[in-house]
Amino acid sequence: MEKQYTMSKNQKIIFDLIDKSSEPMKAYSILFNVQKKGIKAPLQVYRALDKLVEIGKIHKIESRNAFIACQNSSCQISKATAFSICESCENVSEISNSKLSKYLSNFADESGMKYSKYNLEFFGLCKKCKSK
Amino acid sequence: MEKQYTMSKNQKIIFDLIDKSSEPMKAYSILFNVQKKGIKAPLQVYRALDKLVEIGKIHKIESRNAFIACQNSSCQISKATAFSICESCENVSEISNSKLSKYLSNFADESGMKYSKYNLEFFGLCKKCKSK
DNA sequence: TAACAGTATGTAATAATATAACATTTATAA
DNA sequence: TTATAAATGTTATATTATTACATACTGTTA
Ligand SMILES: [Zn+2]
Ligand SMILES: [Zn+2]
Ligand SMILES: [Zn+2]
Ligand SMILES: [Zn+2]
């Protein structure tokens, strides 16, 4: 039985907002949306985001400086993340493909470096945008 | 015979600086370093960086907001990039592994999305930092 | 050559993203 | 209970990136 992390008040507010969003959210847009709930300063947002990323409830889309909720319940600690990003509509979704994650988690080259984490972002056109 | 791109004055100054650097460089550090050469404003730096990224002479390390020169001469247009990043010393190097790039370039899943580009960042400890 | 289009430059102002520093409070556990 | 870690509140500031507008350079073609 694994002990499960309990989100704090601010973490919960911010997670719920991101989780309900259909698109990646940026920090200051989050801030704007939670001001009515008493979260007034950027730092409060960034602290919650940091923690949520750390525990794998959300992921940062590095190329967009934006955050999405983890779609992959097994991704408790986010050490292996992959996303597809539509360059037209900016839709982002988390890729959950066990072959891919196995391949990347086992990847090793001649550098002598042991990789403990990766982040992969694919870019292209989504189905919808392709057919336009 | 392929026509080769000729870098402009500012592009050349900034590329040379990044190319000589042993570590990824951030935009404002670049700005500081080229001020004696007459490049005085952030926008001049960002414009050159944008173009250099576009033509594949440099790459942006998204998780670090920093730029490195392409190590892989074949990477003329940067649509397939992979890096290893040491989380201790922040050393970054470009991975050039044909199996990996083939695997990722051909990756397709059920999403119906055609990927035209990817960026992969591996994290871990480099040889040197591991043995400390 | 002259006119044009495309690319690059210069400059100022400002927007967007993220962190430092410090004081206080709340939760967890020995 | 007392100590420790984690979270919060607040102000100020640092860092990263873009908008807007004016000008200049480069190569092409009428
Ligand atoms: Zn996930
Ligand atoms: Zn799309
Ligand atoms: Zn490259
Ligand atoms: Zn290292």
Side-chain angles (χ1 to χ4, degrees):
Chain A
M1 202 60 177
E2 195 157 337
K3 197 197 155 196
Q4 109 156 23
Y5 180 82
T6 307
M7 284 184 272
S8 74
K9 181 171 129 283
N10 287 2
Q11 287 158 18
K12 186 90 175 54
I13 291 169
I14 287 172
F15 173 74
D16 287 345
L17 177 67
I18 296 171
D19 194 36
K20 270 182 298 209
S21 170
S22 62
E23 52 193 32
M25 294 196 75
K26 305 196 139 215
Y28 276 72
S29 155
I30 293 168
L31 175 58
F32 177 80
N33 278 278
V34 297
Q35 272 175 335
K36 52 195 165 233
K37 305 225 172 182
I39 295 175
K40 293 184 213 138
L43 190 49
Q44 295 175 289
V45 173
Y46 281 105
R47 283 198 284 224
L49 290 174
D50 284 352
K51 192 70 193 186
L52 291 168
V53 166
E54 185 192 324
I55 64 177
K57 298 289 290 182
I58 65 172
H59 303 301
K60 181 171 188 182
I61 309 302
E62 293 287 357
S63 65
R64 299 297 185 263
N65 297 319
F67 300 84
I68 66 170
C70 178
Q71 303 303 314
N72 176 0
S73 60
S74 71
C75 202
Q76 277 288 17
I77 294 175
S78 63
K79 301 211 148 161
T81 49
F83 306 95
S84 72
I85 303 172
C86 175
E87 290 186 296
S88 169
C89 69
E90 291 295 326
N91 176 76
V92 173
S93 57
E94 185 167 1
I95 295 173
S96 141
N97 180 298
S98 61
K99 272 191 185 173
L100 176 66
S101 60
K102 210 167 281 177
Y103 183 87
L104 292 175
S105 296
N106 292 327
F107 180 78
D109 57 14
E110 327 71 32
S111 71
M113 188 153 165
K114 171 66 190 140
Y115 302 120
S116 59
K117 218 167 90 182
Y118 68 79
N119 179 55
L120 170 60
E121 298 181 1
F122 279 108
F123 305 89
L125 291 178
C126 74
K127 227 171 178 171
K128 231 161 94 184
C129 291
K130 215 168 37 182
S131 62
K132 268 184 197 155
Chain B
M1 205 56 178
E2 195 156 338
K3 198 197 156 197
Q4 108 154 24
Y5 180 82
T6 307
M7 286 184 271
S8 74
K9 181 171 127 282
N10 287 2
Q11 288 160 17
K12 186 91 176 54
I13 290 170
I14 287 173
F15 173 74
D16 286 346
L17 177 67
I18 295 172
D19 193 38
K20 270 181 298 206
S21 170
S22 61
E23 53 192 34
M25 293 196 76
K26 306 196 137 215
Y28 277 71
S29 154
I30 292 167
L31 175 57
F32 177 80
N33 278 277
V34 296
Q35 274 177 332
K36 51 196 163 227
K37 304 222 172 180
I39 295 175
K40 291 183 216 142
L43 189 50
Q44 295 175 290
V45 172
Y46 281 105
R47 282 198 285 223
L49 289 174
D50 284 352
K51 192 70 193 186
L52 291 168
V53 166
E54 186 191 325
I55 64 176
K57 298 288 292 181
I58 64 172
H59 303 301
K60 182 171 187 181
I61 308 302
E62 293 286 356
S63 65
R64 299 298 187 261
N65 297 319
F67 300 84
I68 66 170
C70 178
Q71 303 301 314
N72 177 359
S73 59
S74 71
C75 201
Q76 276 289 16
I77 295 174
S78 63
K79 300 212 149 164
T81 48
F83 306 95
S84 72
I85 303 172
C86 175
E87 289 186 296
S88 168
C89 70
E90 291 295 325
N91 177 75
V92 173
S93 57
E94 186 167 1
I95 295 173
S96 142
N97 180 298
S98 61
K99 274 192 184 173
L100 176 66
S101 61
K102 210 167 282 177
Y103 183 87
L104 292 175
S105 296
N106 292 327
F107 180 78
D109 57 15
E110 327 71 31
S111 71
M113 186 151 166
K114 172 64 191 140
Y115 301 120
S116 59
K117 218 168 89 179
Y118 68 79
N119 179 55
L120 171 59
E121 297 181 0
F122 279 108
F123 305 89
L125 291 178
C126 73
K127 227 172 179 171
K128 231 160 94 184
C129 292
K130 214 167 40 181
S131 63
K132 266 180 199 158

